[in-house]
């Protein structure tokens, strides 16, 4: 099993953070949309907390990105950066 620090997971988190920053949204603003606190966003963006697929979908929806687009973007990054096994 791959760890929380797997390069592909880091790429996924970086992508989510990039979506947030491109939306000019703060961690606090995203947290409010997620009915959570800023610490939740901070922890997943820093790799201290792992997200499941439902959480990723919810985050993407609040950032205006559908899950299919996220997966396509992630696959592109994984291929471009040779992160596949």
């Amino acid at each position: 099993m791959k760890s929380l620090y797997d390069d592909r997971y880091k790429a996924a988190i970086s992508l989510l953070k990039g979506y947030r920053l491109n939306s000019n949204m703060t961690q606090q603003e995203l947290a409010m949309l997620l009915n959570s606190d800023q610490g939740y966003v901070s922890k997943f963006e820093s790799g201290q907390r792992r997200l499941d697929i439902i959480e990723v979908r919810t985050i993407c929806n609040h950032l205006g990105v559908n899950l299919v687009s996220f997966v396509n973007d992630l696959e592109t990054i994984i291929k471009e950066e040779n992160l596949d096994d």
Side-chain angles (χ1 to χ4, degrees), residues 20-79:
R20 179 181 64 77
L21 294 173
N22 286 339
S23 297
N24 294 315
M25 191 179 297
T26 66
Q27 287 183 345
Q28 181 65 38
E29 290 167 331
L30 178 57
M32 287 175 48
L33 292 172
L34 297 169
N35 295 317
S36 189
D37 58 25
Q38 182 268 332
Y40 170 77
V41 178
S42 176
K43 284 182 180 177
F44 80 69
E45 285 189 353
S46 66
Q48 296 176 36
R49 184 185 188 291
R50 194 167 184 97
L51 297 172
D52 67 30
I53 191 68
I54 301 304
E55 290 171 310
V56 170
R57 182 182 181 273
T58 301
I59 292 164
C60 285
N61 285 343
H62 286 297
L63 295 173
V65 178
N66 70 49
L67 187 58
V68 172
S69 295
F70 167 77
V71 171
N72 287 334
D73 291 346
L74 180 58
E75 285 296 321
T76 297
I77 292 167
I78 288 171
K79 288 177 183 155

Side-chain angles (χ1 to χ4, degrees), residues 2-19 43-51 56 70 73-75 77-78 81 83:
K2 295 293 181 181
S3 78
L4 185 62
Y5 305 104
D6 180 274
D7 288 336
R8 293 167 298 181
Y9 188 75
K10 288 179 188 176
I13 295 306
S14 179
L15 189 55
L16 289 175
K17 183 176 180 178
Y19 291 152
K43 284 182 180 177
F44 80 69
E45 285 189 353
S46 66
Q48 296 176 36
R49 184 185 188 291
R50 194 167 184 97
L51 297 172
V56 170
F70 167 77
D73 291 346
L74 180 58
E75 285 296 321
I77 292 167
I78 288 171
E81 296 183 12
L83 300 177

